[in-house]
Amino acid sequence: MASESPQPYRVLARKYRPQSFAELIGQDAMVQTLGNAIKRDRLAHAFLLTGVRGVGKTSTARLIAKALNCIGPDGQGGPTIEPCGICDPCVAIAEGRHIDVVEMDAASHTGVDDVREIIEAVRYAAVSARYKVYIIDEVHMLSKNAFNALLKTLEEPPAHVKFLFATTEVNKVPVTVLSRCQRFDLRRISADQLAAHFEAVAGAEGIEVEPAALALIARAAEGSARDGLSILDQAFAHGAGGVTADQVRAMLGLSDRGAVRRLLGLLLAGEARAALAAVKDQYELGVEPSALIRGLLESVHGITRAKVGGVEDPAQSVEEREAYADWASALSYATIHRLWQLLLKGLSEVHGAPLPLEAAEMALLRVIHASELPDPGALAERLANGENIAVAPQSKPPVEGEQAPLLRAPADFAALVELVAANGKPHLAQQLHDYCGLVRYQPPDLAIRPSKPLAGEFARDLAALLKQATGTVWTVGVVDSPAEPSLLEQEQMEKERLRQSVLETPIVRAALDAFPDAELAGFTLEDQRSA
């Protein structure tokens, strides 16, 4: 007797595809809405399921088809949010062989002829099911003519027909189609829910996985159950009887967290040579430069959460939490935010650079250079106290007997305008005076909001003049934010206030009462005081 051939291996993403709404994780609101609609017999004729890849759009469409056509174990049941899974329609739909449940991939059937086949077929009743169901995956791939051909049937389909559309790019679906469908936005699945799901899958497969490894896989999945199960499948193959966090990091090319923390410490200490050596070591171990900077970003985020008292991340070790707590107590919010922005800019540069490693090194050197710069807030406070702040160039150390340029910041915005005029730029000063409202004045940081368009080089020219006049680099921002009235408007408002005060004086009021047609032609402050 010949032995039975072994069953072919099924990947986890297919093996553990949800077979009931109870197994569909992270979509409780949608399940509740569908359940109420089925109970109250208020089912729409067309559903549109949208969301990122791997959150369960196609699985949900098949579950809806089962829910609509389930007849129960005794063959007498009706539509239900809890299909039995054992009746003939449920089994046939689950196996993809039900004659009345038609699945079409719009990516490979984009033309009007493909839609015309559906339009012709909907006129005929279902062969054996309660409803004839059409599941069209990636519906946004249909051509414009195909959408137009489907509109009339979609708006008034026969009572025995239901349409289920799935798409990852709902913005590409015509509004005329959206308005004819009941839309469900499937949410990204949270990392905690994914980790719990992967733990259950690992238990069912009889493979031990460290909780930290599950957390790493859930984070790498980015809200997609299918992506996470694919990574978990790969981790099972990578490990030998079990899966550890170190194995997952190596498999995904993630930087070792301890190495990232050491690198961050070198950056904060200004150790440029040691930091570059650490980057080279990680690169030789196979860590991509972008992954290294992402690791630094995660560390800065972890420090921020530690500073505000956020919920502990299960993927973090005890040593990592202690290091974050120490940095959180030592670093100010301004420093942390500056680190985040510099690293974020560096990551975008690495992604687009022809030489990623060199781009990463330059980005990290910029972080070290920025850590040596004085804090603008502290500078402003010292200036307000009347101190002279010496700013030495970073490119060379100060030499004895050599005086660094002094930051001679104007006391306020009005003084700054006077400084611009005194340095041979009266037209620039007039524009600042007449058309610019002050948003922020924290030398050497200036932000203004113009009331009329300014020349494209206005901010550049102003920053260059201020650098020459004060001896330091200024940041001039032209922003669209709430601002004070311009200096000209303030002067006009003050003049009007004085005018109203003159009109309210007894002698002027008496004169206007005696001569109603009279007007106040002008006045001086001396006139007001004498009055």
Side-chain angles (χ1 to χ4, degrees):
M1 178 178 175
S3 60
E4 295 184 2
S5 61
Q7 290 291 327
Y9 177 71
R10 297 178 67 199
V11 296
L12 298 180
R14 292 187 59 194
K15 185 176 181 180
Y16 292 96
R17 183 186 290 271
Q19 297 300 318
S20 68
F21 283 105
E23 298 177 9
L24 190 67
I25 60 175
Q27 312 301 339
D28 297 340
M30 181 201 67
V31 173
Q32 181 178 357
T33 303
L34 279 174
N36 293 338
I38 291 173
K39 291 176 184 176
R40 299 167 186 170
D41 195 22
R42 299 181 64 87
L43 286 168
H45 58 271
F47 299 88
L48 178 69
L49 306 171
T50 179
V52 299
R53 76 223 178 275
V55 293
K57 298 183 295 296
T58 305
S59 296
T60 300
R62 293 173 180 171
L63 290 176
I64 293 175
K66 289 168 65 174
L68 295 177
N69 289 312
C70 177
I71 59 176
D74 58 358
Q76 304 298 316
T80 174
I81 196 63
E82 298 177 353
C84 66
I86 58 176
C87 65
D88 289 342
C90 284
V91 173
I93 293 172
E95 296 176 355
R97 57 179 176 80
H98 199 293
I99 192 172
D100 292 319
V101 177
V102 181
E103 289 194 36
M104 187 182 89
D105 177 21
S108 54
H109 300 81
T110 62
V112 67
D113 291 337
D114 301 302
V115 171
R116 189 175 290 118
E117 293 181 9
I118 296 176
I119 296 173
E120 293 295 328
V122 297
R123 296 184 298 175
Y124 304 103
V127 176
S128 61
R130 186 179 297 111
Y131 292 102
K132 181 178 285 190
V133 180
Y134 290 92
I135 300 174
I136 303 180
D137 203 5
E138 300 300 338
V139 69
H140 66 273
M141 300 291 286
L142 290 178
S143 66
K144 181 178 179 181
N145 290 337
F147 274 124
N148 290 336
L150 187 62
L151 285 180
K152 188 60 180 177
T153 302
L154 186 60
E155 184 172 18
E156 298 178 358
H160 61 272
V161 174
K162 301 291 182 184
F163 288 100
L164 302 176
F165 301 141
T167 179
T168 54
E169 301 185 46
V170 68
N171 58 303
K172 293 184 179 180
V173 179
V175 177
T176 49
V177 173
L178 293 176
S179 64
R180 291 166 167 81
C181 300
Q182 190 172 97
R183 173 174 167 175
F184 290 102
D185 290 86
L186 276 68
R187 302 172 54 189
R188 288 180 183 269
I189 306 170
S190 70
D192 291 340
Q193 290 176 310
L194 285 175
H197 180 56
F198 299 156
E199 184 179 13
V201 170
E205 293 290 312
I207 299 178
E208 186 176 351
V209 184
E210 289 183 356
L214 293 171
L216 287 171
I217 295 172
R219 183 182 297 169
E222 296 181 345
S224 169
R226 183 175 63 234
D227 288 7
L229 287 172
S230 298
I231 297 173
L232 186 64
D233 216 341
Q234 184 181 355
F236 287 168
H238 184 82
V243 179
T244 67
D246 290 339
Q247 290 172 339
V248 172
R249 289 193 188 96
M251 182 186 74
L252 297 178
L254 300 177
S255 179
D256 175 64
R257 286 180 176 265
V260 169
R261 292 198 303 276
R262 289 190 293 273
L263 176 58
L264 182 58
L266 293 172
L267 295 177
L268 295 174
E271 298 288 344
R273 182 175 299 178
L276 293 182
V279 172
K280 184 178 180 181
D281 290 343
Q282 289 294 297
Y283 186 72
E284 291 176 350
L285 290 173
V287 178
E288 291 297 324
S290 59
L292 188 62
I293 296 186
R294 277 199 302 270
L296 289 169
L297 281 167
E298 289 179 2
S299 295
V300 174
H301 180 257
I303 295 170
T304 309
R305 289 181 63 89
K307 195 169 184 67
V308 300
V311 179
E312 291 184 351
D313 187 344
Q316 295 177 0
S317 63
V318 176
E319 295 81 2
E320 195 169 9
R321 293 194 189 104
E322 291 176 351
Y324 289 168
D326 291 341
W327 275 324
S329 61
L331 299 175
S332 66
Y333 280 111
T335 302
I336 295 173
H337 294 160
R338 182 162 53 176
L339 270 174
W340 176 265
Q341 293 298 330
L342 289 168
L343 290 171
L344 199 62
K345 186 178 189 306
L347 181 62
S348 65
E349 291 174 354
V350 170
H351 281 316
L355 301 171
L357 176 60
E358 287 76 2
E361 291 178 344
M362 295 299 292
L364 297 183
L365 288 175
R366 186 166 61 231
V367 171
I368 293 175
H369 175 74
S371 68
E372 299 172 354
L373 294 176
D375 182 75
L379 275 179
E381 183 178 352
R382 294 172 66 183
L383 285 168
N385 295 332
E387 298 181 36
N388 286 331
I389 310 299
V391 181
Q394 297 293 327
S395 57
K396 68 172 186 175
V399 180
E400 186 176 355
E402 196 175 82
Q403 185 176 5
L406 296 180
L407 175 62
R408 301 182 296 274
D412 53 25
F413 181 55
L416 182 140
V417 174
E418 294 178 1
L419 178 66
V420 172
N423 278 268
K425 294 291 184 180
H427 180 63
L428 198 64
Q430 183 184 5
Q431 289 180 303
L432 283 171
H433 180 276
D434 293 354
Y435 310 128
C436 296
L438 180 64
V439 176
R440 182 176 61 257
Y441 185 68
Q442 297 174 350
D445 181 22
L446 171 67
I448 54 176
R449 177 179 181 177
S451 58
K452 62 177 293 185
L454 300 175
E457 63 275 7
F458 178 87
R460 184 196 64 191
D461 292 347
L462 179 57
L465 184 145
L466 292 174
K467 178 182 177 182
Q468 180 181 1
T470 64
T472 192
V473 177
W474 282 68
T475 300
V476 178
V478 179
V479 299
D480 185 17
S481 300
E484 298 176 4
S486 68
L487 294 176
L488 176 61
E489 291 170 335
Q490 293 182 37
E491 292 170 0
Q492 291 172 341
M493 288 188 291
E494 176 63 15
K495 185 176 180 180
E496 179 62 24
R497 186 189 66 79
L498 291 175
R499 180 176 179 275
Q500 290 298 324
S501 66
V502 170
L503 291 173
E504 292 299 323
T505 57
I507 188 171
V508 175
R509 190 164 58 244
L512 292 176
D513 290 341
F515 303 96
D517 295 332
E519 294 182 357
L520 180 64
F523 67 92
T524 64
L525 293 178
E526 289 77 7
D527 291 340
Q528 183 188 12
R529 285 193 292 269
S530 63

